[in-house]
């Protein structure tokens, strides 16, 4: 009981941070895997991007759309690079990225 009385007056030190604009909020975004797992496609990702903008999430600080898994074609291109699944993402991953970036 004595210990509890002693700790009442103890305060944690104030948090310190650089005043450089970095990490004023935690990184906030939406991740496809958390909701849809592998059940994703270009239309769905575009709809989720639009929903983030239209519901005010973007204005509240959400800035990332993460297409987590199941976006790639199981076959690599001739240079050995990963490529988007042409059935799930017929416009290609660059076009999808351009769509997302155009919405902020």
């Amino acid at each position: 009981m004595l210990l509890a009385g002693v700790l009442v007056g103890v305060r944690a030190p104030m948090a310190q941070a650089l005043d450089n604009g970095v990490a004023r909020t935690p990184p906030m975004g939406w991740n496809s895997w958390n909701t849809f797992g592998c059940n994703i496609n270009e239309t769905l990702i575009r709809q989720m991007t639009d929903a983030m903008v239209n519901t005010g999430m973007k204005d509240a600080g959400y800035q990332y759309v993460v297409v987590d898994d199941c976006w790639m074609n199981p076959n690599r291109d001739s240079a050995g690079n990963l490529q988007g699944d042409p059935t799930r993402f017929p416009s290609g991953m660059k076009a999808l990225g351009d769509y997302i970036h155009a919405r902020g």
Side-chain angles (χ1 to χ4, degrees):
M1 193 58 97
L2 177 61
L3 181 61
V6 172
L7 292 178
V8 169
V10 176
R11 292 183 185 219
M14 295 291 291
Q16 296 181 359
L18 296 175
D19 188 16
N20 63 3
V22 175
R24 292 204 181 268
T25 62
M28 297 190 302
W30 176 83
N31 185 306
S32 64
W33 183 262
N34 295 333
T35 305
F36 298 106
C38 272
N39 298 318
I40 62 169
N41 60 49
E42 182 176 323
T43 301
L44 177 73
I45 302 302
R46 288 175 184 247
Q47 289 171 343
M48 294 298 101
T49 300
D50 292 340
M52 285 180 66
V53 173
N54 296 335
T55 63
M57 291 175 68
K58 178 184 170 290
D59 292 336
Y62 284 79
Q63 57 183 335
Y64 300 105
V65 173
V66 179
V67 181
D68 192 333
D69 196 6
C70 306
W71 61 269
M72 67 290 244
N73 185 338
N75 302 308
R76 294 178 181 247
D77 68 14
S78 61
N81 299 310
L82 290 173
Q83 55 186 349
D85 183 322
T87 303
R88 291 179 187 224
F89 298 93
S91 298
M93 297 310 289
K94 181 180 182 328
L96 180 59
D98 290 346
Y99 182 89
I100 294 168
H101 290 159
R103 279 141 190 84

